[in-house]
Amino acid sequence: MEEEEEAIGYLDKVLEDEDDSEPGTPTSPGSPFSASEKGERDAGKGLEMRKLVLSGFLASEEIYINQLEALLLPMKPLKATATTSQPVLTLQQIETIFYKIQDIYEIHKEFYDSLCPKVQQWDSNITMGHLFQKLASQLGVYKAFVDNYKIALETAEKCSQSNYQFQKISEELKVKGPKDSKESHTSVTMEALLYKPIDRVTRSTLVLHDLLKHTPADHPDYPLLQDALRISQNFLSSINEDIDPRRTAVTTPKGETRQLIKDGFLVELSEGSRKLRHVFLFTDVLLCAKLKKTAVGGKGHGVGTGDWEGWEDAEDAQHPRLGRRKHQQYDCKWYVPLADLVFPSPEESEHCPQVHVIPDHELEDMKMKISAIKSEVQKEKANKGQSRAIERLKKKMFENEFWLLLNSPAIPFRIHNRNGKSYLFLLSSDYERSEWREAIQKLQKKDLQAFVLSSVELQVLTGSCFKLRTVHNIPVTSNKDDDESPGLYGFLHVIVHSAKGFKQSASKCSARPCSEGLGRELGPARDPVSPRGSQQLDGDVLRGRSAVSPPPDLYCTLEVDSFGYFVSKAKTRVFRDTTEPQWNEVRGGWRMRGRKGSCPPSSPGFGDVLGAGAEPPSVCSQEFEIELEGSQSLRILCYEKCYDKTKLNKDNNEIVDKIMGKGQIQLDPQAVQTKNWHMDVIEMNGIKVEFSMKFTSRDMSLKRTPSKKQTGVFGVKISVVTKRERSKVPYIVRQCIEEVEKRGIEEVGIYRISGVATDIQALKAVFDANNKDILVMLSDMDINAIAGTLKLYFRELPEPLLTDRLYPAFMEGIALSDPAAKENCMMHLLRSLPDPNLITFLFLLEHLKRVAEKEPINKMSLHNLATVFGPTLLRPSEGESKGHLTLASDIWSHDVMAQVQVLLYYLQHPPISFTELKRNTLYFSTDV
């Protein structure tokens, strides 16, 4: 603030004048004054300096008290509303944000009121050391404030996002100007004011140092000031590491304060190659950097977070704990002043280069390799293996994780410098892209000026990045300490119930076509939110709309972290014409693929296109089953559906729908690892999303539990079912495959994208009951739910389709090196299967081959299908698998890789005939 800077400037000038003694003054060597006269003169000057130092400090203390008053001003009305039916904040939130501010204000008000008359009525006999000593003795209040500081900031930020009224209050707090100031008030953000107490301790310590310097050693104040300085310095040393490093400032060319707002690792597409960069967002500039290579320590020493120009350089890409270095520096690749930074429009994005997406099966292969290495590391540690061997494994794991981090992101984030070049980052999470965009746009609201940094200025700014950075390690799991939580492995079941707080939309995005008729919504190939592995409910119907802007069409997506980065895993239905979507109810009946009806018995979750209208016939929730791979957080993003045709025809990964709100919660293992559903609420930008979740561990989800009712099909031996049905292939397998081939064989991600869990459970119930409405339901059901039902059937067989007895032999056969021996063994194993198992397996095999023939459209290769079905068809039942799973992450161990390879072998094999297989006697036929 200007007044504060003036006060500090006045104080600095006083101190500078002291050092600028001119020749010929009484203190110069040739002075005619005597030593005693010189001493008296120096003492007088020292006392005068004390007054000047105190006057400057008193002026800044007045400003500080005004800042604390401004911070306290909204606290009382906020507390008053906290007990009403419409609170802005809860009492706990108020207590957290304003913690100890009142105490600090009272301490400094008392100090100011005591010091002010002494300075105004100054004489040489005045003492004030006791006031500073008392002030220093009360620093315990500041310690409490500092300990709470980060939580206070986070709480204030979350409350601003979730409550518009509080956001307005916190963005413009009015600070009263000093008595003699021309300006009566200035506007300051709450975030800036919350940092003032931390800054004040530092300045008070500097003033104590200056006062002591100008106080004679025999003055009564001297020992008191000494004691106060000692206490203050000790306090500063104790809190230095607790202070948020982002608050450390550098100076702009104009002498203004430049602070680091946000930093993190992003993948940049540069000259056709993916490069990992460390991106720094300052108050007026976005800077993209990479860590310099250094030769310190010679070959074999890592460079901390690695050289991101080329991950293949293993020496420079190993994880930080393999060799830290001092004096690391960043290289600036480019920078863009925020005044010149713009985000390209969707139309401008059309001219940008297409993003090459790595095939899913390559990413899954790498995940398997990483998990297998993790298992090896754990086994080495358990067996107290050599540290050198463990470090080698860790190094290999880091290289693989780095490759995955570099090649997984596919969501474009484009930056353009209005004076020249454009830059393209690739992110794996739309949540992350939104955070960067919002942080930049918030800063751009200020009066920013364009500038060009000189080479020296750029060097200074880049040099400060290493000290200021808040993200130190590449976000890969191998960077975790051994005692850090490994995250959750298993399945998170989530039901999104409802959302409140949306406002009527007036955006162009919501302008739907007036006469589209009935038809399907854009499928995953064009769906703006269908990243890899995402669950979604298809079949949204575009209906006629009036020209008047209606309420928004809303949906939510769910993201979880996996292998160090976030991925989108699920998407709710699009809820039409309402600002309060209720995903756990269906209005006017259930609808799938454009049909109307009523919620069938035992079939929750069939609602699709939800319009305003009749009372719901029944409650129908939409449950998602999300696979967790070391996950620690769940994110929910709320979108408004975009129907602007100019924005729809983008590449598959361009998300054009508007984010209305986003929020995140930590997955607490103790809270979620219960058999019961856990209800929770995420607040975001005034929107509240209600959801429930429960967690199933991998060992529980992998159990093949025989059904107690032998009258159904799930959990019942395949031989029992075929005998009862008098069929060669179970009816459920034939019907699901027939429906998938009829209308799902070209569906992007078929069998990989999960259907809604409640829809799958509904189909399971109908098949188990042999309900006469099965065919009607199948024809109306979301195709991903049908594909999911088929997978669930094989997963819940009491023993795998390829049997427990033959499992060890399949594992040995696929490991054979000689092609002829492998052929004989693998064919012999098929002949050894019971007939119902073999016929069903061959039936499924030919179906999966037909699905893979459509790979250019559905993106499902033979390898993808083997990854999905291999463990389902081969994983041993509980009794056989004991000892196989020693760790949560062992699901992607060598066994799983081998299971995938077994199925892939048969998928890549020429057509196999049941008759020919049984007739052929050339195959090797020893006992298995």
Side-chain angles (χ1 to χ4, degrees):
M1 295 177 66
E2 287 185 16
E3 296 86 356
E4 188 170 0
E5 294 303 324
E6 284 174 11
I8 300 303
Y10 170 65
L11 180 58
D12 290 342
K13 187 175 187 309
V14 166
L15 298 177
E16 285 169 10
D17 289 345
E18 177 207 359
D19 296 327
D20 293 338
S21 302
E22 294 178 8
T25 63
T27 56
S28 59
S31 174
F33 295 99
S34 65
S36 60
E37 289 175 323
K38 181 177 177 296
E40 289 173 10
R41 191 176 180 86
D42 286 348
K45 184 181 178 184
L47 290 172
E48 186 63 26
M49 284 300 304
R50 270 162 53 88
K51 180 185 177 183
L52 292 173
V53 169
L54 286 169
S55 297
F57 181 65
L58 199 63
S60 66
E61 187 75 0
E62 182 189 353
I63 293 166
Y64 178 51
I65 290 169
N66 290 345
Q67 290 166 344
L68 293 173
E69 278 182 346
L71 204 49
L72 289 170
L73 194 62
M75 189 173 73
K76 288 181 182 178
L78 285 172
K79 279 187 175 180
T81 63
T83 54
T84 65
S85 58
Q86 292 183 319
V88 178
L89 300 182
T90 65
L91 284 170
Q92 186 178 356
Q93 288 169 335
I94 295 167
E95 176 63 27
T96 303
I97 294 170
F98 298 96
Y99 186 66
K100 295 296 179 185
I101 298 295
Q102 182 70 45
D103 293 344
I104 292 172
Y105 169 77
E106 288 171 2
I107 288 169
H108 282 269
K109 187 71 169 67
E110 182 187 349
F111 172 77
Y112 178 84
D113 290 344
S114 301
L115 183 63
C116 188
K118 289 180 178 289
V119 175
Q120 288 175 345
Q121 300 166 10
W122 183 258
D123 69 51
S124 58
N125 298 319
I126 282 180
T127 58
M128 42 68 203
H130 60 289
L131 297 179
F132 281 93
Q133 188 183 43
K134 183 179 179 181
L135 186 65
S137 69
Q138 294 171 312
L139 284 174
V141 176
Y142 274 89
K143 181 68 172 80
F145 174 84
V146 171
D147 290 342
N148 182 71
Y149 173 66
K150 287 183 182 178
I151 302 170
L153 271 189
E154 289 168 7
T155 305
E157 188 174 349
K158 285 177 184 176
C159 291
S160 291
Q161 289 177 356
S162 61
N163 190 295
Y164 179 73
Q165 198 173 349
F166 181 71
Q167 183 184 5
K168 292 297 290 180
I169 292 170
S170 61
E171 282 181 353
E172 289 191 9
L173 290 172
K174 301 295 183 184
V175 178
K176 189 169 61 177
K179 294 170 186 174
D180 300 329
S181 172
K182 296 176 184 176
E183 293 184 26
S184 58
H185 289 87
T186 52
S187 295
V188 186
T189 65
M190 182 174 289
E191 185 183 12
L193 289 180
L194 282 172
Y195 184 67
K196 294 299 179 183
I198 293 175
D199 191 45
R200 193 65 192 166
V201 179
T202 306
R203 292 191 172 177
S204 297
T205 306
L206 292 174
V207 168
L208 279 169
H209 184 273
D210 291 329
L211 278 175
L212 201 60
K213 182 179 176 182
H214 297 292
T215 302
D218 57 353
H219 194 284
D221 278 343
Y222 193 84
L224 300 176
L225 293 174
Q226 254 188 336
D227 189 46
L229 180 61
R230 178 185 54 79
I231 295 170
S232 298
Q233 286 176 332
N234 289 341
F235 175 76
L236 272 182
S237 300
S238 70
I239 68 162
N240 266 346
E241 292 189 2
D242 296 332
I243 298 173
D244 189 342
R246 289 176 299 175
R247 297 291 166 183
T248 308
V250 289
T251 307
T252 67
K254 294 183 177 181
E256 299 163 349
T257 301
R258 173 183 285 141
Q259 291 181 338
L260 178 64
I261 303 300
K262 180 179 176 65
D263 70 300
F265 294 99
L266 298 180
V267 174
E268 183 186 13
L269 193 64
S270 175
E271 298 177 355
S273 299
R274 292 171 179 250
K275 313 287 187 183
L276 191 64
R277 308 295 197 201
H278 201 150
V279 182
F280 295 85
L281 175 62
F282 290 93
T283 41
D284 63 341
V285 65
L286 184 73
L287 186 143
C288 178
K290 80 174 193 89
L291 201 62
K292 282 184 180 180
K293 287 187 179 183
T294 74
V296 179
K299 192 172 181 177
H301 294 270
V303 294
T305 45
D307 167 45
W308 312 313
E309 276 294 286
W311 76 275
E312 69 276 6
D313 184 354
E315 298 298 343
D316 283 334
Q318 54 190 299
H319 78 78
R321 292 180 183 85
L322 298 183
R324 296 187 182 275
R325 295 192 182 179
K326 296 179 180 178
H327 313 301
Q328 294 175 353
Q329 290 182 332
Y330 283 103
D331 232 349
C332 176
K333 301 305 294 182
W334 51 264
Y335 72 90
V336 181
L338 297 191
D340 293 329
L341 189 151
V342 292
F343 298 108
S345 65
E347 292 78 12
E348 292 170 322
S349 298
E350 287 180 351
H351 307 294
C352 297
Q354 287 287 311
V355 177
H356 172 64
V357 178
I358 304 298
D360 284 324
H361 70 84
E362 290 187 27
L363 298 174
E364 293 303 322
D365 279 351
M366 186 57 75
K367 288 180 182 179
M368 287 189 208
K369 288 179 184 176
I370 292 166
S371 295
I373 295 172
K374 281 183 183 177
S375 299
E376 288 184 44
V377 170
Q378 294 298 328
K379 286 170 188 172
E380 283 285 341
K381 286 181 178 178
N383 298 330
K384 297 183 178 178
Q386 293 183 357
S387 59
R388 190 174 295 176
I390 293 172
E391 291 303 330
R392 271 200 305 269
L393 286 170
K394 283 187 174 182
K395 179 180 176 182
K396 186 65 179 174
M397 183 165 70
F398 179 81
E399 290 170 358
N400 289 343
E401 285 193 302
F402 192 93
W403 183 92
L404 192 63
L405 182 69
L406 207 59
N407 290 284
S408 296
I411 299 173
F413 177 44
R414 297 183 169 93
I415 298 290
H416 180 68
N417 185 335
R418 68 173 84 246
N419 296 321
K421 198 172 176 183
S422 292
Y423 305 95
L424 173 60
F425 293 110
L426 298 175
L427 288 76
S428 57
S429 159
D430 198 30
Y431 189 105
E432 186 181 1
R433 181 172 74 163
S434 175
E435 279 191 324
W436 279 99
R437 186 189 292 268
E438 287 171 9
I440 291 169
Q441 289 175 334
K442 184 178 179 181
L443 292 169
Q444 288 180 324
K445 290 179 181 178
K446 300 174 183 177
D447 184 23
L448 298 172
Q449 301 296 319
F451 59 85
V452 176
L453 294 174
S454 69
S455 58
V456 174
E457 289 166 345
L458 182 59
Q459 188 177 354
V460 169
L461 180 61
T462 309
S464 71
C465 289
F466 191 82
K467 178 186 175 184
L468 300 181
R469 61 182 181 164
T470 64
V471 181
H472 295 267
N473 294 327
I474 294 172
V476 292
T477 56
S478 52
N479 273 348
K480 287 185 178 180
D481 288 314
D482 292 338
D483 57 352
E484 286 185 67
S485 169
L488 293 170
Y489 287 85
F491 295 90
L492 186 70
H493 301 263
V494 182
I495 298 176
V496 181
H497 298 293
S498 62
K500 296 178 181 178
F502 289 101
K503 294 180 174 59
Q504 186 88 3
S505 175
S507 70
K508 189 179 179 184
C509 241
S510 65
R512 293 187 288 272
C514 293
S515 58
E516 285 291 328
L518 288 176
R520 291 177 63 224
E521 182 193 352
L522 294 172
R526 284 192 179 180
D527 191 328
V529 185
S530 57
R532 301 184 177 102
S534 170
Q535 303 176 35
Q536 62 176 24
L537 192 65
D538 199 12
D540 186 17
V541 178
L542 297 173
R543 292 173 288 171
R545 291 292 187 272
S546 66
V548 179
S549 179
D553 292 352
L554 307 166
Y555 65 91
C556 292
T557 64
L558 310 179
E559 294 183 354
V560 294
D561 53 320
S562 171
F563 289 87
Y565 57 92
F566 278 84
V567 287
S568 183
K569 288 284 189 177
K571 173 188 171 186
T572 67
R573 303 174 178 91
V574 177
F575 212 110
R576 288 291 178 83
D577 297 343
T578 180
T579 56
E580 293 194 358
Q582 301 282 333
W583 283 284
N584 62 351
E585 84 178 23
V586 176
R587 302 184 183 186
W590 59 276
R591 231 184 297 181
M592 295 165 293
R593 302 181 63 235
R595 293 198 183 189
K596 260 192 164 183
S598 59
C599 247
S602 306
S603 57
F606 281 18
D608 188 352
V609 182
L610 306 175
E615 287 299 310
S618 62
V619 174
C620 298
S621 12
Q622 187 178 5
E623 179 187 334
F624 298 103
E625 183 183 79
I626 297 173
E627 186 175 11
L628 304 182
E629 299 167 296
S631 306
Q632 294 180 317
S633 301
L634 169 70
R635 290 172 170 176
I636 296 183
L637 295 91
C638 292
Y639 288 87
E640 178 184 349
K641 188 73 185 167
C642 180
Y643 293 97
D644 182 355
K645 294 239 175 184
T646 63
K647 296 182 179 180
L648 289 177
N649 297 319
K650 301 291 154 216
D651 61 82
N652 296 349
N653 302 300
E654 188 75 76
I655 300 171
V656 295
D657 291 352
K658 180 183 177 184
I659 292 182
M660 305 294 284
K662 62 187 190 306
Q664 175 175 313
I665 61 164
Q666 293 299 114
L667 296 175
D668 179 9
Q670 293 182 342
V672 298
Q673 287 186 357
T674 61
K675 293 181 180 179
N676 301 323
W677 286 91
H678 170 66
M679 187 84 170
D680 212 331
V681 176
I682 284 184
E683 295 188 16
M684 49 182 95
N685 296 343
I687 300 165
K688 290 184 179 180
V689 178
E690 290 186 358
F691 64 98
S692 297
M693 61 181 177
K694 70 175 180 178
F695 173 75
T696 306
S697 62
R698 275 212 194 280
D699 54 347
M700 290 298 294
S701 64
L702 293 176
K703 283 184 179 178
R704 292 185 183 273
T705 309
S707 174
K708 293 177 182 177
K709 296 169 109 183
Q710 291 297 300
T711 54
V713 294
F714 283 82
V716 180
K717 286 185 177 180
I718 198 167
S719 57
V720 173
V721 173
T722 52
K723 186 177 181 180
R724 185 205 308 144
E725 294 177 353
R726 297 180 182 178
S727 63
K728 293 182 178 180
V729 177
Y731 178 70
I732 182 175
V733 176
R734 286 183 280 122
Q735 289 307 125
C736 288
I737 285 177
E738 182 182 327
E739 198 64 34
V740 168
E741 293 199 355
K742 187 189 299 180
R743 60 185 177 91
I745 203 163
E746 294 187 351
E747 187 81 8
V748 173
I750 188 69
Y751 290 120
R752 178 175 55 78
I753 294 176
S754 301
V756 177
T758 36
D759 291 355
I760 295 171
Q761 290 301 317
L763 275 175
K764 175 185 175 181
V766 174
F767 273 111
D768 267 340
N770 196 21
N771 194 299
K772 62 181 180 179
D773 293 329
I774 288 176
L775 293 179
V776 176
M777 287 178 59
L778 281 173
S779 64
D780 277 335
M781 183 63 75
D782 167 46
I783 198 63
N784 287 315
I786 295 171
T789 303
L790 181 63
K791 289 189 293 180
L792 182 68
Y793 169 73
F794 286 118
R795 195 162 74 227
E796 291 195 356
L797 284 173
E799 75 164 353
L801 186 65
L802 299 189
T803 73
D804 286 329
R805 182 177 68 89
L806 296 177
Y807 180 75
F810 275 114
M811 295 297 98
E812 291 173 10
I814 199 64
L816 293 172
S817 302
D818 180 62
K822 182 183 285 189
E823 169 80 4
N824 278 344
C825 182
M826 299 300 281
M827 290 303 120
H828 169 67
L829 289 171
L830 283 188
R831 288 196 298 115
S832 304
L833 288 169
D835 282 1
N837 297 59
L838 176 57
I839 295 171
T840 302
F841 177 69
L842 295 177
F843 186 77
L844 176 65
L845 204 63
E846 292 310 306
H847 163 65
L848 295 179
K849 287 181 180 180
R850 288 191 290 274
V851 171
E853 287 173 2
K854 300 289 184 179
E855 182 190 353
I857 303 170
N858 63 29
K859 311 300 182 189
M860 292 302 290
S861 63
L862 290 174
H863 198 292
N864 280 349
L865 292 165
T867 301
V868 171
F869 277 94
T872 301
L873 301 179
L874 280 131
R875 175 178 42 80
S877 56
E878 188 181 4
E880 296 295 322
S881 61
K882 280 182 180 175
H884 283 285
L885 282 175
T886 57
L887 295 164
S889 57
D890 275 355
I891 183 62
W892 289 114
S893 64
H894 290 301
D895 272 9
V896 175
M897 295 170 71
Q899 291 161 13
V900 171
Q901 290 303 314
V902 168
L903 182 55
L904 186 60
Y905 179 86
Y906 291 122
L907 285 171
Q908 292 173 337
H909 197 280
I912 303 169
S913 161
F914 174 79
T915 308
E916 289 295 320
L917 189 65
K918 287 292 187 179
R919 187 186 304 136
N920 199 325
T921 57
L922 295 176
Y923 293 122
F924 147 93
S925 59
T926 58
D927 289 336
V928 294

